[in-house]
Amino acid sequence: MSYRITTDSTCDMPDAFYEERGIAHVNLSLEFNGKEYKDGFNENLSAHTFYESLRNGGMASTTQVNPAEFIDFVEPFLAAGEDVLHLAFSSGLSGTYASCETAAKDLREKYPERTLVVIDSLAASMGEGLLLYYADENRKKGLSLEENARWLEDNKLHLCHWFTVNDLMFLHRGGRVSKTSAIFGSLLGIKPVMHVDNEGHLIVMSKARGRGASLEALVDHMEKTGNPDIKDQMIFISHGDCLEDVEKLKAIIRRRIGCENFMVNPVGAVIGSHSGPGTVALFFLGSER
């Protein structure tokens, strides 16, 4: 039996990906320089405009999906007779998953003949997007909704997130590093190397001196934990308006590991509000996070 896969905007995937695969997504929200926006870059707010404003002191705050918004988003599919597998933003970074599950309990009572499964991705940005990619590939291969949900639960802790940022002050605003560390780290050119752990939290793992060293460090982790098929995997990279650094990272990966299949897209406005311009994030399947 066919079913619909849905997600939220923090996957940071290209619009064409959603359109070509028939995947609907619910948008988180943000307030940016005094105006309200739905997550996602378009003619109203481009990635470059957003990140350039942050570089020049612009401020943004974000809002999770609430239960009513999730009901408005997913109920039409259930009412039309479709079952739904929904992949949600990490519970370690947002209350969005909890809101979706709260709403889902009401919807399951209202539509007892339908199946609605909400998965806590424990992932963010194109890490969540890579899990979504595999979910859709599984659906194409004929996995049922239940089989696909089990696959996602069994494999989501093998979805590796490694990233670095260019400006520690954005992480300080989000409570990830102290103000002192942010100031001295910025003065000394220290770039944190971070990942998303098994609870879906953002964790500083090490520090590198300079941008080049931090990009090499991302690939160090890829070499250590990448699955045996890493050369043939689809590798996802998201970035905070810094395509030149993305190209450097891809060159390092090609040289050291031999990967050739990449999907690249900007970090969306909701996640980018906290990570800042200059973020470079690398995602792949590995033996462990």
Side-chain angles (χ1 to χ4, degrees), residues 172-210:
H172 162 63
R173 291 173 192 167
R176 300 301 174 183
V177 298
S178 69
K179 186 173 183 180
T180 300
S181 295
I183 292 172
F184 282 99
S186 298
L187 290 173
L188 296 173
I190 298 298
K191 308 300 180 186
V193 176
M194 312 180 74
H195 86 143
V196 175
D197 69 8
N198 286 353
E199 286 73 48
H201 301 119
L202 196 110
I203 304 294
V204 179
M205 296 296 289
S206 62
K207 298 175 183 177
R209 181 67 64 85

PDB file of all heavy atoms in Angstrom, residues 172-210:
ATOM      1  N   HIS A 172      27.650  31.154  20.936  1.00  0.00           N
ATOM      2  CA  HIS A 172      27.505  31.725  22.279  1.00  0.00           C
ATOM      3  C   HIS A 172      26.074  32.195  22.511  1.00  0.00           C
ATOM      4  O   HIS A 172      25.485  31.923  23.573  1.00  0.00           O
ATOM      5  CB  HIS A 172      28.466  32.900  22.448  1.00  0.00           C
ATOM      6  CG  HIS A 172      28.091  33.806  23.590  1.00  0.00           C
ATOM      7  ND1 HIS A 172      28.065  33.377  24.893  1.00  0.00           N
ATOM      8  CD2 HIS A 172      27.684  35.122  23.600  1.00  0.00           C
ATOM      9  CE1 HIS A 172      27.666  34.384  25.676  1.00  0.00           C
ATOM     10  NE2 HIS A 172      27.436  35.434  24.903  1.00  0.00           N
ATOM     11  N   ARG A 173      25.493  32.867  21.525  1.00  0.00           N
ATOM     12  CA  ARG A 173      24.113  33.336  21.681  1.00  0.00           C
ATOM     13  C   ARG A 173      23.156  32.176  21.906  1.00  0.00           C
ATOM     14  O   ARG A 173      22.152  32.315  22.602  1.00  0.00           O
ATOM     15  CB  ARG A 173      23.687  34.115  20.436  1.00  0.00           C
ATOM     16  CG  ARG A 173      24.399  35.446  20.260  1.00  0.00           C
ATOM     17  CD  ARG A 173      24.044  36.064  18.918  1.00  0.00           C
ATOM     18  NE  ARG A 173      24.903  37.184  18.596  1.00  0.00           N
ATOM     19  CZ  ARG A 173      24.981  37.743  17.395  1.00  0.00           C
ATOM     20  NH1 ARG A 173      24.240  37.280  16.402  1.00  0.00           N
ATOM     21  NH2 ARG A 173      25.806  38.751  17.184  1.00  0.00           N
ATOM     22  N   GLY A 174      23.469  31.022  21.319  1.00  0.00           N
ATOM     23  CA  GLY A 174      22.636  29.843  21.494  1.00  0.00           C
ATOM     24  C   GLY A 174      22.989  29.038  22.717  1.00  0.00           C
ATOM     25  O   GLY A 174      22.432  27.965  22.943  1.00  0.00           O
ATOM     26  N   GLY A 175      23.924  29.537  23.536  1.00  0.00           N
ATOM     27  CA  GLY A 175      24.283  28.864  24.770  1.00  0.00           C
ATOM     28  C   GLY A 175      25.224  27.692  24.596  1.00  0.00           C
ATOM     29  O   GLY A 175      25.390  26.888  25.525  1.00  0.00           O
ATOM     30  N   ARG A 176      25.901  27.571  23.433  1.00  0.00           N
ATOM     31  CA  ARG A 176      26.761  26.420  23.170  1.00  0.00           C
ATOM     32  C   ARG A 176      28.195  26.636  23.627  1.00  0.00           C
ATOM     33  O   ARG A 176      28.892  25.675  23.928  1.00  0.00           O
ATOM     34  CB  ARG A 176      26.747  26.081  21.671  1.00  0.00           C
ATOM     35  CG  ARG A 176      25.375  25.728  21.137  1.00  0.00           C
ATOM     36  CD  ARG A 176      24.787  24.533  21.860  1.00  0.00           C
ATOM     37  NE  ARG A 176      23.414  24.276  21.440  1.00  0.00           N
ATOM     38  CZ  ARG A 176      22.649  23.327  21.949  1.00  0.00           C
ATOM     39  NH1 ARG A 176      23.118  22.558  22.912  1.00  0.00           N
ATOM     40  NH2 ARG A 176      21.403  23.153  21.528  1.00  0.00           N
ATOM     41  N   VAL A 177      28.659  27.879  23.669  1.00  0.00           N
ATOM     42  CA  VAL A 177      29.988  28.173  24.197  1.00  0.00           C
ATOM     43  C   VAL A 177      29.884  29.434  25.040  1.00  0.00           C
ATOM     44  O   VAL A 177      28.981  30.252  24.856  1.00  0.00           O
ATOM     45  CB  VAL A 177      31.039  28.370  23.075  1.00  0.00           C
ATOM     46  CG1 VAL A 177      31.201  27.111  22.248  1.00  0.00           C
ATOM     47  CG2 VAL A 177      30.681  29.555  22.179  1.00  0.00           C
ATOM     48  N   SER A 178      30.816  29.601  25.972  1.00  0.00           N
ATOM     49  CA  SER A 178      30.800  30.781  26.829  1.00  0.00           C
ATOM     50  C   SER A 178      31.227  32.007  26.044  1.00  0.00           C
ATOM     51  O   SER A 178      31.872  31.912  24.994  1.00  0.00           O
ATOM     52  CB  SER A 178      31.742  30.580  28.014  1.00  0.00           C
ATOM     53  OG  SER A 178      33.099  30.583  27.567  1.00  0.00           O
ATOM     54  N   LYS A 179      30.892  33.183  26.583  1.00  0.00           N
ATOM     55  CA  LYS A 179      31.274  34.422  25.914  1.00  0.00           C
ATOM     56  C   LYS A 179      32.787  34.556  25.865  1.00  0.00           C
ATOM     57  O   LYS A 179      33.361  34.973  24.855  1.00  0.00           O
ATOM     58  CB  LYS A 179      30.658  35.624  26.638  1.00  0.00           C
ATOM     59  CG  LYS A 179      30.909  36.945  25.908  1.00  0.00           C
ATOM     60  CD  LYS A 179      30.144  38.090  26.564  1.00  0.00           C
ATOM     61  CE  LYS A 179      30.334  39.388  25.777  1.00  0.00           C
ATOM     62  NZ  LYS A 179      29.585  40.503  26.402  1.00  0.00           N
ATOM     63  N   THR A 180      33.464  34.162  26.950  1.00  0.00           N
ATOM     64  CA  THR A 180      34.924  34.238  26.979  1.00  0.00           C
ATOM     65  C   THR A 180      35.533  33.345  25.908  1.00  0.00           C
ATOM     66  O   THR A 180      36.439  33.756  25.179  1.00  0.00           O
ATOM     67  CB  THR A 180      35.457  33.828  28.359  1.00  0.00           C
ATOM     68  OG1 THR A 180      34.919  34.711  29.340  1.00  0.00           O
ATOM     69  CG2 THR A 180      36.972  33.891  28.388  1.00  0.00           C
ATOM     70  N   SER A 181      35.044  32.105  25.797  1.00  0.00           N
ATOM     71  CA  SER A 181      35.550  31.192  24.776  1.00  0.00           C
ATOM     72  C   SER A 181      35.297  31.733  23.386  1.00  0.00           C
ATOM     73  O   SER A 181      36.144  31.612  22.496  1.00  0.00           O
ATOM     74  CB  SER A 181      34.890  29.819  24.922  1.00  0.00           C
ATOM     75  OG  SER A 181      35.243  29.213  26.145  1.00  0.00           O
ATOM     76  N   ALA A 182      34.130  32.332  23.192  1.00  0.00           N
ATOM     77  CA  ALA A 182      33.794  32.872  21.878  1.00  0.00           C
ATOM     78  C   ALA A 182      34.724  34.018  21.495  1.00  0.00           C
ATOM     79  O   ALA A 182      35.220  34.088  20.376  1.00  0.00           O
ATOM     80  CB  ALA A 182      32.342  33.343  21.865  1.00  0.00           C
ATOM     81  N   ILE A 183      34.990  34.922  22.456  1.00  0.00           N
ATOM     82  CA  ILE A 183      35.841  36.076  22.166  1.00  0.00           C
ATOM     83  C   ILE A 183      37.281  35.640  21.904  1.00  0.00           C
ATOM     84  O   ILE A 183      37.880  36.003  20.883  1.00  0.00           O
ATOM     85  CB  ILE A 183      35.788  37.087  23.329  1.00  0.00           C
ATOM     86  CG1 ILE A 183      34.390  37.723  23.409  1.00  0.00           C
ATOM     87  CG2 ILE A 183      36.865  38.154  23.150  1.00  0.00           C
ATOM     88  CD1 ILE A 183      34.186  38.593  24.634  1.00  0.00           C
ATOM     89  N   PHE A 184      37.841  34.832  22.797  1.00  0.00           N
ATOM     90  CA  PHE A 184      39.231  34.416  22.625  1.00  0.00           C
ATOM     91  C   PHE A 184      39.389  33.451  21.460  1.00  0.00           C
ATOM     92  O   PHE A 184      40.391  33.494  20.739  1.00  0.00           O
ATOM     93  CB  PHE A 184      39.767  33.795  23.918  1.00  0.00           C
ATOM     94  CG  PHE A 184      40.139  34.802  24.959  1.00  0.00           C
ATOM     95  CD1 PHE A 184      39.287  35.096  26.004  1.00  0.00           C
ATOM     96  CD2 PHE A 184      41.346  35.495  24.871  1.00  0.00           C
ATOM     97  CE1 PHE A 184      39.618  36.057  26.951  1.00  0.00           C
ATOM     98  CE2 PHE A 184      41.687  36.448  25.819  1.00  0.00           C
ATOM     99  CZ  PHE A 184      40.827  36.733  26.867  1.00  0.00           C
ATOM    100  N   GLY A 185      38.383  32.609  21.249  1.00  0.00           N
ATOM    101  CA  GLY A 185      38.445  31.703  20.106  1.00  0.00           C
ATOM    102  C   GLY A 185      38.443  32.468  18.800  1.00  0.00           C
ATOM    103  O   GLY A 185      39.188  32.145  17.873  1.00  0.00           O
ATOM    104  N   SER A 186      37.640  33.507  18.729  1.00  0.00           N
ATOM    105  CA  SER A 186      37.593  34.327  17.516  1.00  0.00           C
ATOM    106  C   SER A 186      38.915  35.057  17.300  1.00  0.00           C
ATOM    107  O   SER A 186      39.427  35.132  16.179  1.00  0.00           O
ATOM    108  CB  SER A 186      36.432  35.322  17.597  1.00  0.00           C
ATOM    109  OG  SER A 186      35.194  34.647  17.677  1.00  0.00           O
ATOM    110  N   LEU A 187      39.489  35.592  18.374  1.00  0.00           N
ATOM    111  CA  LEU A 187      40.766  36.310  18.252  1.00  0.00           C
ATOM    112  C   LEU A 187      41.896  35.381  17.815  1.00  0.00           C
ATOM    113  O   LEU A 187      42.787  35.788  17.057  1.00  0.00           O
ATOM    114  CB  LEU A 187      41.113  36.965  19.591  1.00  0.00           C
ATOM    115  CG  LEU A 187      40.241  38.150  20.025  1.00  0.00           C
ATOM    116  CD1 LEU A 187      40.613  38.577  21.438  1.00  0.00           C
ATOM    117  CD2 LEU A 187      40.391  39.321  19.054  1.00  0.00           C
ATOM    118  N   LEU A 188      41.864  34.134  18.272  1.00  0.00           N
ATOM    119  CA  LEU A 188      42.928  33.181  17.973  1.00  0.00           C
ATOM    120  C   LEU A 188      42.661  32.361  16.717  1.00  0.00           C
ATOM    121  O   LEU A 188      43.479  31.512  16.344  1.00  0.00           O
ATOM    122  CB  LEU A 188      43.116  32.236  19.170  1.00  0.00           C
ATOM    123  CG  LEU A 188      43.600  32.886  20.468  1.00  0.00           C
ATOM    124  CD1 LEU A 188      43.564  31.868  21.602  1.00  0.00           C
ATOM    125  CD2 LEU A 188      45.005  33.463  20.304  1.00  0.00           C
ATOM    126  N   GLY A 189      41.535  32.588  16.064  1.00  0.00           N
ATOM    127  CA  GLY A 189      41.213  31.828  14.867  1.00  0.00           C
ATOM    128  C   GLY A 189      40.839  30.385  15.154  1.00  0.00           C
ATOM    129  O   GLY A 189      41.023  29.507  14.313  1.00  0.00           O
ATOM    130  N   ILE A 190      40.285  30.131  16.353  1.00  0.00           N
ATOM    131  CA  ILE A 190      39.893  28.772  16.731  1.00  0.00           C
ATOM    132  C   ILE A 190      38.530  28.442  16.113  1.00  0.00           C
ATOM    133  O   ILE A 190      37.581  29.208  16.237  1.00  0.00           O
ATOM    134  CB  ILE A 190      39.813  28.619  18.261  1.00  0.00           C
ATOM    135  CG1 ILE A 190      41.186  28.875  18.885  1.00  0.00           C
ATOM    136  CG2 ILE A 190      39.294  27.235  18.634  1.00  0.00           C
ATOM    137  CD1 ILE A 190      42.258  27.905  18.460  1.00  0.00           C
ATOM    138  N   LYS A 191      38.453  27.279  15.452  1.00  0.00           N
ATOM    139  CA  LYS A 191      37.212  26.840  14.837  1.00  0.00           C
ATOM    140  C   LYS A 191      36.763  25.535  15.506  1.00  0.00           C
ATOM    141  O   LYS A 191      37.477  24.536  15.451  1.00  0.00           O
ATOM    142  CB  LYS A 191      37.402  26.591  13.332  1.00  0.00           C
ATOM    143  CG  LYS A 191      38.043  27.754  12.578  1.00  0.00           C
ATOM    144  CD  LYS A 191      37.227  29.028  12.670  1.00  0.00           C
ATOM    145  CE  LYS A 191      37.902  30.170  11.914  1.00  0.00           C
ATOM    146  NZ  LYS A 191      37.198  31.458  12.095  1.00  0.00           N
ATOM    147  N   PRO A 192      35.614  25.524  16.156  1.00  0.00           N
ATOM    148  CA  PRO A 192      35.161  24.291  16.799  1.00  0.00           C
ATOM    149  C   PRO A 192      34.734  23.251  15.769  1.00  0.00           C
ATOM    150  O   PRO A 192      34.186  23.586  14.724  1.00  0.00           O
ATOM    151  CB  PRO A 192      33.961  24.762  17.624  1.00  0.00           C
ATOM    152  CG  PRO A 192      33.443  25.936  16.879  1.00  0.00           C
ATOM    153  CD  PRO A 192      34.649  26.621  16.298  1.00  0.00           C
ATOM    154  N   VAL A 193      35.001  21.995  16.074  1.00  0.00           N
ATOM    155  CA  VAL A 193      34.505  20.877  15.272  1.00  0.00           C
ATOM    156  C   VAL A 193      33.425  20.213  16.118  1.00  0.00           C
ATOM    157  O   VAL A 193      33.674  19.787  17.245  1.00  0.00           O
ATOM    158  CB  VAL A 193      35.635  19.885  14.929  1.00  0.00           C
ATOM    159  CG1 VAL A 193      35.076  18.682  14.170  1.00  0.00           C
ATOM    160  CG2 VAL A 193      36.707  20.593  14.109  1.00  0.00           C
ATOM    161  N   MET A 194      32.210  20.135  15.576  1.00  0.00           N
ATOM    162  CA  MET A 194      31.051  19.737  16.361  1.00  0.00           C
ATOM    163  C   MET A 194      30.297  18.609  15.680  1.00  0.00           C
ATOM    164  O   MET A 194      30.489  18.356  14.486  1.00  0.00           O
ATOM    165  CB  MET A 194      30.123  20.948  16.551  1.00  0.00           C
ATOM    166  CG  MET A 194      30.851  22.211  16.993  1.00  0.00           C
ATOM    167  SD  MET A 194      29.755  23.619  17.216  1.00  0.00           S
ATOM    168  CE  MET A 194      28.956  23.181  18.738  1.00  0.00           C
ATOM    169  N   HIS A 195      29.445  17.948  16.454  1.00  0.00           N
ATOM    170  CA  HIS A 195      28.540  16.971  15.855  1.00  0.00           C
ATOM    171  C   HIS A 195      27.232  16.944  16.627  1.00  0.00           C
ATOM    172  O   HIS A 195      27.072  17.626  17.646  1.00  0.00           O
ATOM    173  CB  HIS A 195      29.199  15.583  15.766  1.00  0.00           C
ATOM    174  CG  HIS A 195      29.068  14.732  16.987  1.00  0.00           C
ATOM    175  ND1 HIS A 195      28.884  13.370  16.910  1.00  0.00           N
ATOM    176  CD2 HIS A 195      29.100  15.023  18.307  1.00  0.00           C
ATOM    177  CE1 HIS A 195      28.807  12.861  18.140  1.00  0.00           C
ATOM    178  NE2 HIS A 195      28.949  13.833  18.998  1.00  0.00           N
ATOM    179  N   VAL A 196      26.266  16.171  16.102  1.00  0.00           N
ATOM    180  CA  VAL A 196      25.001  15.944  16.796  1.00  0.00           C
ATOM    181  C   VAL A 196      25.070  14.550  17.382  1.00  0.00           C
ATOM    182  O   VAL A 196      25.317  13.572  16.672  1.00  0.00           O
ATOM    183  CB  VAL A 196      23.809  16.083  15.833  1.00  0.00           C
ATOM    184  CG1 VAL A 196      22.512  15.717  16.530  1.00  0.00           C
ATOM    185  CG2 VAL A 196      23.730  17.512  15.304  1.00  0.00           C
ATOM    186  N   ASP A 197      24.886  14.438  18.708  1.00  0.00           N
ATOM    187  CA  ASP A 197      25.113  13.163  19.395  1.00  0.00           C
ATOM    188  C   ASP A 197      23.886  12.250  19.332  1.00  0.00           C
ATOM    189  O   ASP A 197      22.891  12.559  18.655  1.00  0.00           O
ATOM    190  CB  ASP A 197      25.562  13.412  20.831  1.00  0.00           C
ATOM    191  CG  ASP A 197      24.475  13.994  21.735  1.00  0.00           C
ATOM    192  OD1 ASP A 197      23.298  14.083  21.296  1.00  0.00           O
ATOM    193  OD2 ASP A 197      24.800  14.359  22.879  1.00  0.00           O
ATOM    194  N   ASN A 198      23.948  11.128  20.051  1.00  0.00           N
ATOM    195  CA  ASN A 198      22.883  10.131  19.996  1.00  0.00           C
ATOM    196  C   ASN A 198      21.573  10.591  20.616  1.00  0.00           C
ATOM    197  O   ASN A 198      20.534   9.955  20.414  1.00  0.00           O
ATOM    198  CB  ASN A 198      23.334   8.830  20.676  1.00  0.00           C
ATOM    199  CG  ASN A 198      24.328   8.058  19.852  1.00  0.00           C
ATOM    200  OD1 ASN A 198      24.612   8.411  18.709  1.00  0.00           O
ATOM    201  ND2 ASN A 198      24.874   7.000  20.419  1.00  0.00           N
ATOM    202  N   GLU A 199      21.606  11.677  21.379  1.00  0.00           N
ATOM    203  CA  GLU A 199      20.388  12.259  21.936  1.00  0.00           C
ATOM    204  C   GLU A 199      19.897  13.441  21.100  1.00  0.00           C
ATOM    205  O   GLU A 199      18.938  14.110  21.469  1.00  0.00           O
ATOM    206  CB  GLU A 199      20.618  12.717  23.381  1.00  0.00           C
ATOM    207  CG  GLU A 199      20.705  11.576  24.384  1.00  0.00           C
ATOM    208  CD  GLU A 199      22.010  10.810  24.276  1.00  0.00           C
ATOM    209  OE1 GLU A 199      23.076  11.465  24.228  1.00  0.00           O
ATOM    210  OE2 GLU A 199      21.976   9.565  24.221  1.00  0.00           O
ATOM    211  N   GLY A 200      20.569  13.686  19.978  1.00  0.00           N
ATOM    212  CA  GLY A 200      20.160  14.771  19.101  1.00  0.00           C
ATOM    213  C   GLY A 200      20.613  16.136  19.542  1.00  0.00           C
ATOM    214  O   GLY A 200      20.105  17.160  19.066  1.00  0.00           O
ATOM    215  N   HIS A 201      21.600  16.196  20.469  1.00  0.00           N
ATOM    216  CA  HIS A 201      22.123  17.472  20.947  1.00  0.00           C
ATOM    217  C   HIS A 201      23.367  17.876  20.161  1.00  0.00           C
ATOM    218  O   HIS A 201      24.104  17.025  19.659  1.00  0.00           O
ATOM    219  CB  HIS A 201      22.480  17.392  22.435  1.00  0.00           C
ATOM    220  CG  HIS A 201      21.336  17.043  23.310  1.00  0.00           C
ATOM    221  ND1 HIS A 201      21.307  15.906  24.091  1.00  0.00           N
ATOM    222  CD2 HIS A 201      20.155  17.673  23.535  1.00  0.00           C
ATOM    223  CE1 HIS A 201      20.171  15.853  24.753  1.00  0.00           C
ATOM    224  NE2 HIS A 201      19.458  16.919  24.438  1.00  0.00           N
ATOM    225  N   LEU A 202      23.610  19.167  20.144  1.00  0.00           N
ATOM    226  CA  LEU A 202      24.787  19.716  19.486  1.00  0.00           C
ATOM    227  C   LEU A 202      25.949  19.724  20.468  1.00  0.00           C
ATOM    228  O   LEU A 202      25.836  20.287  21.556  1.00  0.00           O
ATOM    229  CB  LEU A 202      24.468  21.145  19.053  1.00  0.00           C
ATOM    230  CG  LEU A 202      25.377  21.786  18.045  1.00  0.00           C
ATOM    231  CD1 LEU A 202      24.661  21.952  16.719  1.00  0.00           C
ATOM    232  CD2 LEU A 202      25.779  23.153  18.558  1.00  0.00           C
ATOM    233  N   ILE A 203      27.069  19.070  20.096  1.00  0.00           N
ATOM    234  CA  ILE A 203      28.185  18.892  21.015  1.00  0.00           C
ATOM    235  C   ILE A 203      29.489  19.359  20.371  1.00  0.00           C
ATOM    236  O   ILE A 203      29.792  19.010  19.225  1.00  0.00           O
ATOM    237  CB  ILE A 203      28.344  17.399  21.402  1.00  0.00           C
ATOM    238  CG1 ILE A 203      27.043  16.854  21.998  1.00  0.00           C
ATOM    239  CG2 ILE A 203      29.500  17.203  22.366  1.00  0.00           C
ATOM    240  CD1 ILE A 203      26.641  17.464  23.304  1.00  0.00           C
ATOM    241  N   VAL A 204      30.276  20.157  21.107  1.00  0.00           N
ATOM    242  CA  VAL A 204      31.625  20.520  20.657  1.00  0.00           C
ATOM    243  C   VAL A 204      32.550  19.343  20.949  1.00  0.00           C
ATOM    244  O   VAL A 204      32.672  18.903  22.093  1.00  0.00           O
ATOM    245  CB  VAL A 204      32.139  21.790  21.377  1.00  0.00           C
ATOM    246  CG1 VAL A 204      33.564  22.113  20.903  1.00  0.00           C
ATOM    247  CG2 VAL A 204      31.216  22.974  21.104  1.00  0.00           C
ATOM    248  N   MET A 205      33.204  18.825  19.895  1.00  0.00           N
ATOM    249  CA  MET A 205      34.070  17.653  20.051  1.00  0.00           C
ATOM    250  C   MET A 205      35.550  18.005  20.108  1.00  0.00           C
ATOM    251  O   MET A 205      36.332  17.355  20.790  1.00  0.00           O
ATOM    252  CB  MET A 205      33.818  16.680  18.897  1.00  0.00           C
ATOM    253  CG  MET A 205      32.411  16.109  18.883  1.00  0.00           C
ATOM    254  SD  MET A 205      32.042  15.106  20.334  1.00  0.00           S
ATOM    255  CE  MET A 205      33.071  13.668  20.006  1.00  0.00           C
ATOM    256  N   SER A 206      35.965  19.013  19.360  1.00  0.00           N
ATOM    257  CA  SER A 206      37.377  19.404  19.337  1.00  0.00           C
ATOM    258  C   SER A 206      37.475  20.811  18.764  1.00  0.00           C
ATOM    259  O   SER A 206      36.466  21.405  18.372  1.00  0.00           O
ATOM    260  CB  SER A 206      38.211  18.420  18.504  1.00  0.00           C
ATOM    261  OG  SER A 206      37.777  18.420  17.153  1.00  0.00           O
ATOM    262  N   LYS A 207      38.690  21.321  18.718  1.00  0.00           N
ATOM    263  CA  LYS A 207      38.934  22.654  18.161  1.00  0.00           C
ATOM    264  C   LYS A 207      40.105  22.593  17.203  1.00  0.00           C
ATOM    265  O   LYS A 207      41.057  21.853  17.420  1.00  0.00           O
ATOM    266  CB  LYS A 207      39.212  23.664  19.275  1.00  0.00           C
ATOM    267  CG  LYS A 207      38.030  23.844  20.229  1.00  0.00           C
ATOM    268  CD  LYS A 207      38.379  24.753  21.393  1.00  0.00           C
ATOM    269  CE  LYS A 207      37.202  24.856  22.359  1.00  0.00           C
ATOM    270  NZ  LYS A 207      37.534  25.687  23.538  1.00  0.00           N
ATOM    271  N   ALA A 208      39.997  23.365  16.117  1.00  0.00           N
ATOM    272  CA  ALA A 208      41.057  23.400  15.108  1.00  0.00           C
ATOM    273  C   ALA A 208      41.526  24.832  14.943  1.00  0.00           C
ATOM    274  O   ALA A 208      40.746  25.777  15.102  1.00  0.00           O
ATOM    275  CB  ALA A 208      40.553  22.845  13.773  1.00  0.00           C
ATOM    276  N   ARG A 209      42.799  24.998  14.629  1.00  0.00           N
ATOM    277  CA  ARG A 209      43.349  26.340  14.425  1.00  0.00           C
ATOM    278  C   ARG A 209      43.249  26.691  12.935  1.00  0.00           C
ATOM    279  O   ARG A 209      44.005  26.192  12.118  1.00  0.00           O
ATOM    280  CB  ARG A 209      44.813  26.377  14.882  1.00  0.00           C
ATOM    281  CG  ARG A 209      45.489  27.732  14.729  1.00  0.00           C
ATOM    282  CD  ARG A 209      44.889  28.786  15.655  1.00  0.00           C
ATOM    283  NE  ARG A 209      45.086  28.480  17.056  1.00  0.00           N
ATOM    284  CZ  ARG A 209      46.180  28.796  17.752  1.00  0.00           C
ATOM    285  NH1 ARG A 209      47.187  29.415  17.167  1.00  0.00           N
ATOM    286  NH2 ARG A 209      46.273  28.490  19.025  1.00  0.00           N
ATOM    287  N   GLY A 210      42.259  27.496  12.602  1.00  0.00           N
ATOM    288  CA  GLY A 210      42.106  27.960  11.230  1.00  0.00           C
ATOM    289  C   GLY A 210      41.082  27.156  10.440  1.00  0.00           C
ATOM    290  O   GLY A 210      40.745  26.017  10.774  1.00  0.00           O
TER     291      GLY A 210
END
